Amino acid sequence: MSLAGTPQDSQGIAAEAAGCADTPILRERGQREVFCGLTGIIWLHRKIQDAFFLVVGSRTCAHLLQSAAGVMIFAEPRFATAIIEERDLAGLADANEELDRVVTRLIQRRPDIRMLFLVGSCPSEVIKLDLSRAAQRLSERFLPSVRVLSYSGSGIETTFTEGEDACLAALVPEMPTEPGTARSLLVVGALAEVVEDQFIRLFAALGVGPVRFLPSRRASELPAVGEGTRFLLAQPFLAGTARALEARGARHIPAAFPLGEEGTTAWLRAAAEVWGVSEERFAQATASGRERARAALANHRKTLDGKSIFFFPDSQLEVPLARFLSRELGMQPIEIGTPYLHRQHLAHELALLPATAKLVEGQHVDRQLDRCREARPDMTVCGLGLANPLEAEGLTTKWSIELVFSPIQGYDQAGDLAGLFARPLVRREKLMV
Ligand code: SF4
């Protein structure tokens, strides 16, 4: 079942010092309650408009996608599940032949598709179906009209947002090579188009560019990468993609993430510094956005100021969110759980967290539930599986999945992001009257 996690090997807890900040980190291994990486298809299929995601999985995988995406099958969505039946699992059918048949039928039916992702799941891992070889074989058959790639979204290997990381990492070898060493900026991580357009305008005002995005809106128009590429991560869960880009010669620009007025300014400033933009030009280009963000945040500060918040590990957005909520809205993070903590990519964020917050990497859900119940936070950020039981116990919750689906980056989304946290508190107050 996708909502249930995979039990890990140890129940041990270890504390260690963060590499980039002195904050101690509690490392937990135990039962997890996190969606699997298939979930990423729900936002990626909307973003990459000529791609199709074919999950090679079970009925459970199909149900997860169908219910989470809320798309009717007759709407011809750009994702589907090739269901592995019992006879495949029993080795009675040749899974590769079956897959080739399904893919051929799909490509004949959908001539608009330019890139097909074969997405691995728990069942395809169990029968050891080699999807990368299948993708190679099918690419040879369908190129130049359709390229076939593969990645894993299996719950055995990935949590929730790692599906996006695996998908983008699979795209990196397909990116054309940028000739020469001319500098360009690559923004990495799926962003809503409205956010992308705002950043394009801001970088133009700063004189930073050319600017490209990964993923691109069309898989057939992937950005070039090379020695001159500098990249900014727009999401904190893209460690594999960052490594793949570095292997192609690109260099990471370390920065805080573009959440809130402060995070967006720090993120833009990091690129501006690489491009040698003057302080005056930076101030001019960002002044109105900063002002709009501050004004929008002020509306929510009165609701959120002084409220305690507890994060269960889910989306890997937890650390930047805690930084934003504590520094710009006065919230008090009690515990910040995250499935993985990439010290290097989060260095700028960790340095800004309040010293009183407990940082937890990994999950032992029972122990964390005990700590949450004891702390009785004003707000708990968690996955769907935990939200209802906690609400029934009188705790106010926020679904972390909503934070990945919503446009939350940049100046003009700062108020909406704060609103996502303020709304459940306002609703509870009203219910209590
Ligand atoms: S990939 Fe695994 S965890 Fe995810 S829906 Fe399929 S069976 Fe469940």
Side-chain angles (χ1 to χ4, degrees):
M1 167 65 192
S2 59
L3 276 173
T6 47
Q8 298 292 300
D9 48 0
S10 115
Q11 306 280 305
I13 299 179
E16 64 169 52
C20 310
D22 293 335
T23 327
I25 298 170
L26 188 67
R27 304 184 78 204
E28 287 194 314
R29 295 290 177 268
Q31 180 72 28
R32 298 191 314 221
E33 286 289 335
V34 186
F35 275 119
C36 64
L38 294 189
T39 330
I41 294 171
I42 296 157
W43 60 91
L44 287 167
H45 90 277
R46 291 197 186 115
K47 177 74 198 179
I48 316 175
Q49 292 156 12
D50 53 357
F52 194 101
F53 295 80
L54 183 67
V55 176
V56 185
S58 64
R59 288 186 200 283
T60 310
C61 310
H63 284 310
L64 167 81
L65 283 180
Q66 200 54 38
S67 48
V71 178
M72 291 295 140
I73 227 65
F74 52 74
E76 294 266 334
R78 279 179 292 97
F79 61 84
T81 309
I83 292 171
I84 298 176
E85 305 283 0
E86 273 173 30
R87 63 195 196 105
D88 303 307
L89 287 165
L92 298 174
D94 183 331
N96 280 303
E97 268 176 31
E98 301 265 311
L99 184 61
D100 289 12
R101 196 174 47 78
V102 169
V103 168
T104 306
R105 215 174 51 204
L106 174 70
I107 290 177
Q108 282 167 352
R109 264 194 61 208
R110 300 293 298 270
D112 52 317
I113 302 305
R114 291 286 161 269
M115 186 170 280
L116 174 69
F117 289 101
L118 301 178
V119 188
S121 66
C122 303
S124 59
E125 283 199 10
V126 168
I127 61 166
K128 303 264 178 265
L129 188 54
D130 188 340
L131 289 183
S132 65
R133 281 183 63 183
Q136 225 174 341
R137 181 178 69 240
L138 289 160
S139 260
E140 277 162 23
R141 186 181 306 172
F142 293 108
L143 271 172
S145 53
V146 185
R147 181 174 297 281
V148 185
L149 299 178
S150 72
Y151 71 88
S152 174
S154 146
I156 300 168
E157 288 196 346
T158 58
T159 61
F160 194 13
T161 48
E162 282 181 289
E164 176 174 334
D165 190 23
C167 174
L168 300 194
L171 283 174
V172 173
E174 307 303 315
M175 293 164 74
T177 302
E178 177 87 79
T181 54
R183 205 165 41 185
S184 63
L185 178 67
L186 184 67
V187 176
V188 185
L191 292 169
E193 285 182 12
V194 58
V195 175
E196 227 175 73
D197 292 341
Q198 287 164 14
F199 285 148
I200 288 171
R201 285 195 291 275
L202 277 163
F203 285 122
L206 289 168
V208 169
V211 183
R212 294 148 184 170
F213 292 85
L214 181 73
S216 46
R217 294 180 192 186
R218 302 191 71 76
S220 46
E221 292 162 12
L222 284 173
V225 62
E227 298 288 323
T229 308
R230 302 286 179 274
F231 68 92
L232 270 176
L233 293 176
Q235 304 283 13
F237 43 74
L238 299 172
T241 309
R243 270 197 308 278
L245 285 167
E246 281 164 350
R248 299 271 325 253
R251 274 192 271 160
H252 176 221
I253 304 174
F257 289 90
L259 301 181
E261 187 265 319
E262 183 185 38
T264 305
T265 303
W267 189 76
L268 293 169
R269 189 183 290 282
E273 278 170 5
V274 174
W275 261 257
V277 177
S278 71
E279 189 49 48
E280 197 189 349
R281 185 168 186 180
F282 186 82
Q284 234 169 32
T286 55
S288 62
R290 296 179 76 171
E291 192 45 50
R292 284 195 303 280
R294 279 194 217 113
L297 291 174
N299 287 333
H300 298 291
R301 192 169 175 118
K302 50 188 178 298
T303 310
L304 297 171
D305 196 16
K307 299 285 193 307
S308 59
I309 186 161
F310 191 107
F311 289 88
F312 278 79
D314 211 79
S315 64
Q316 292 192 54
L317 282 167
E318 293 85 4
V319 171
L321 283 171
R323 180 266 302 157
F324 161 69
L325 292 165
S326 60
R327 290 177 62 89
E328 299 193 47
L329 293 152
M331 291 191 86
Q332 294 168 3
I334 301 172
E335 178 163 327
I336 308 163
T338 183
Y340 302 103
L341 201 145
H342 195 296
R343 287 158 189 77
Q344 222 183 325
H345 292 170
L346 288 171
H348 290 244
E349 299 284 350
L350 292 170
L352 297 175
L353 287 179
T356 47
K358 177 187 275 186
L359 266 173
V360 181
E361 184 183 17
Q363 187 168 37
H364 185 301
V365 71
D366 292 327
R367 288 185 188 156
Q368 203 173 22
L369 278 168
D370 289 346
R371 294 197 296 272
C372 181
R373 286 176 178 130
E374 198 187 327
R376 303 286 308 168
D378 294 307
M379 170 155 301
T380 304
V381 183
C382 58
L384 292 169
L386 293 175
N388 280 351
L390 290 175
E391 286 277 343
E393 293 177 28
L395 294 172
T396 303
T397 61
K398 171 89 243 141
W399 296 347
S400 42
I401 197 165
E402 220 182 314
L403 300 159
V404 183
F405 286 177
S406 314
I408 56 169
Q409 295 82 5
Y411 292 132
D412 292 304
Q413 282 62 242
D416 297 343
L417 176 57
L420 288 174
F421 291 89
R423 261 196 303 279
L425 289 171
V426 171
R427 192 178 55 224
R428 183 165 286 269
E429 259 170 44
K430 282 188 181 153
L431 288 173
M432 283 167 75
V433 172

